[in-house]
Amino acid sequence: MGKRFGKARSVARAGGPVGSSSDAPSPWRDAPGVTRIDAHVHSNASNGPAVAALGFIGCPECYSEPEGVYDMARARGMDLVTITDHDTIKGALTLAERGFEGFIVGQEATVFFPEDKCKLHVLIWGLTPDQDEHLQSSGMKRDVYAFAHWLREQNLAHAVAHPLYVQNRRLTRWHIERCALLFKGFESLNGAHSKLQSTGLDPFLDTLTPAKIVHLQKVHGIEAVWPRAWQKARTGGSDDHAMLNIGRTWTELRLESGEKVADPREFFKHVMGGRTVSNGAGGHSSLLAHQLTSVGMHYFAERILPSRSTRTRFLGSRLMRFAGVDAPSPSKLRMAASHVKDRAMGRKRTNPTTRALKECFGPALDAFPDLRHKLERDAWKRGTQDSALSDHERMAAFADELLSAMHGSMGRSLARSIRRRDRREIMEHLSGYVAMQVAQIPYVFSLFHQNKERPFLERFVHDTSEPGSGHSPLERPMRVSLFTDTLGDINGVSRFIQNVAQRAHETGRDLQVITSTRMTVPDAPNIYNFKPIFTGTMPGYSTLEAVLPPILPILRHIDQHQPDAIHISTPGAVGMVGYLAAKMLRVPVLGVYHTDFPAYIDHLFDDEAFTFACSRFMRFFYAPFRAIFTRSDDYVQSLERLGIERGRVLHLKPGIEVQKFHTRFADRESWRTYGLDPKRAKVLYIGRVSVEKNLPLLSSVWKQTSKRLREHGLEADLIVVGDGPFRPQMERELKGCNASFLGFRHGDELSRLYASSDLFVFPSTTDTLGQVVMESQASGLPVLVSDQGGPKEVVREGETGFVLSASDPNAWVEKIVALVADDERRARMGAAAHASMQEMSLESSFEHFWDVHVDAWHAHLAERGITPREPVQRRESRTEIERDTAGV
């Protein structure tokens, strides 16, 4: 793809970028002059379900003992400690009544707007039992206004928890602006929710000024409850429910005296004065998944595991260690007795899922020695020691590696079961596959859950930020993720994607190419190749891969990249992951219709049922796309036949690397390298050697052409560059007809083959553009193409080449013979072909490609009400500002 431009990201299943606690500064050592508190932590007194569905089985949201929470917070460098359970102080009181040093009672109160029942969570610190009793019994939590005034009357430190988290689908800008008038404190960093929320909240809080508060009072018709309402308290907390992230997100205070604050009530006075900042790690999907998994493991160990078999209890007790759960394990004697009993009763079979787990668990864990250490009993039983599950990046990587290895193991054993026709084992394998997918639900749920606020956040930031501040989505550069199933292959689609990646990198555009292949892909910093779970070959085409990509690692990577648009280049397995990513992020999907697959299938299999099924799938696949590029106008009709509205189909301006495919590479003497006479004319074909490229026609045509050339005393060679399933047959058919098959060629050698030839022939009827037709013309060759498909659109009839009937071999024979015989005409047409391609540069093609994506993204934002705004003139009159802020 031309010059190298960096190092490609070859991403193993376990290595996709994911969030980690390492993303933030570590507080696990004393910081002189800094006082820290994790201001949002839960204990087992928060006993409601974390997810509503779990309420049906009685699974609480937290199992953490209050004393364990305290010990973990202090061990992780917190100077002060609180517990903020949902609507209760029972857990916190168990520590306060025992006089734990540096501890303050907290609560996360659930409050509602009376107008529409919009739900809020508000953190409160310093509650007394009497205050809590009044709070719970008065009913004020059903009226946020009464609640806010009560907080002011009691002068209680507080902060609106995860303010931009849409809890019951009612939260709007209207509610947030009212919160700015009702409350003094806001949680600006929550360790369990996406950091996108912080990036949306902080600009809003930064814009609060005396004048802005006055404006909000006029708009909403209510008065600010707290003095200096524009000066907000900002807090941070882990929102931990599972002893995994305590102390990784915190509120900190730095005093000029360099002293720490020992009294938590004094600390929260500083908080309410707006003198603290939030710090630490923001939330991400793996963190949330591990919190849910840890709670689930506690529930399983407590409610389900004790009634299971000896073997299951033994295996379960080991797995529970990942979350630091001390599940009783059967003794060695009981295990031996169970083994003897199973043998006596003839139970020799082991479930295939269990077999795969035993086979793969050890080797997978060996690759993560740090996690193995955390599973040792002495390490994980210490209450302040990190559990393996708390190392989010490593645990996500380990889970990917283990599940991938298990897929491979079970795939092999399933094949054996099918060969033996063992129906019972086949069903056990299928149920095992289902179980493995269920095990990934926390990860999938978390990825979608963490991104569900994105539409609201983008609209909120746009509406509340100053035009020109750079915060609005419309005022930042676009990010694109391009998904492709073909990148290491030698074809026009692959070259097109490589060119796009290179141009994006060279022009500073944020475009990432996502693929999954065992083939070698170009070295580039914006290309990410995820190691596939499974690879095979395409039916009827052994040189093409069929892969099963690792879905979760790719989705985690996309979650980190947060693209504004998804481009899907191919309707394969990787393309389907791209569609899933677009659903996760709620962003528009665009794509290119590179290949007429129904025609491809029809040529390959000659089966109406296959062709019909392919057409139906293509209709389903492209239906959600906002815009579909086609490389030629001819294929607009093909897309219309698939049911795609013409208004969504765009003709992508074609482009090639005109400096790479150029007449200066011509070197006739280079043919001697291949054992060929440089004086003989060279008729070139480059591409897949397959039926769908209509090469049976070329084979028939060249037989006749070779004979006619000999009759006229002319000499020419057919040069076939590429490979494919039709090559062996074509070689047999053209034996003795001066045909040479060179296989795949790359780089400068390919450029030289183009420029050193005399004529290019391309009989394909299924190509949407025919990149090679453009490359050959840029190299100074006249071309012959068929009248079906896109290549004819880049040929000037009679000037740079000829468009011939795909069903008339005699026409092809006549034109080839005529051009081989006429050196002057070939040279004239070749020069015209070279000149015609100079305007079709890769640079102009890429700019068109990028502009269409920007337009699609902006149209998507406009549907959410995000449209360009005029800059607001700032008032500079001091008298006017003083008048507006009087009494605030």
Side-chain angles (χ1 to χ4, degrees), residues 805-854:
S805 171
S807 58
D808 185 1
N810 289 330
W812 290 76
V813 173
E814 293 294 336
K815 286 298 181 186
I816 295 174
V817 171
L819 287 172
V820 169
D822 194 337
D823 295 345
E824 184 179 340
R825 189 181 189 187
R826 279 202 325 273
R828 185 172 64 252
M829 293 182 71
H834 172 74
S836 71
M837 290 296 106
Q838 300 313 298
E839 63 188 40
M840 296 186 179
S841 68
L842 181 62
E843 291 77 9
S844 61
S845 177
F846 174 78
E847 292 302 323
H848 177 225
F849 171 90
W850 193 257
D851 288 345
V852 170
H853 284 74
V854 171

Side-chain angles (χ1 to χ4, degrees), residues 413-422 425-426 429:
S413 61
L414 176 59
R416 292 192 295 269
S417 300
I418 293 174
R419 287 195 297 268
R420 294 196 302 264
R421 299 185 179 182
D422 189 328
E425 276 220 349
I426 291 172
H429 278 87

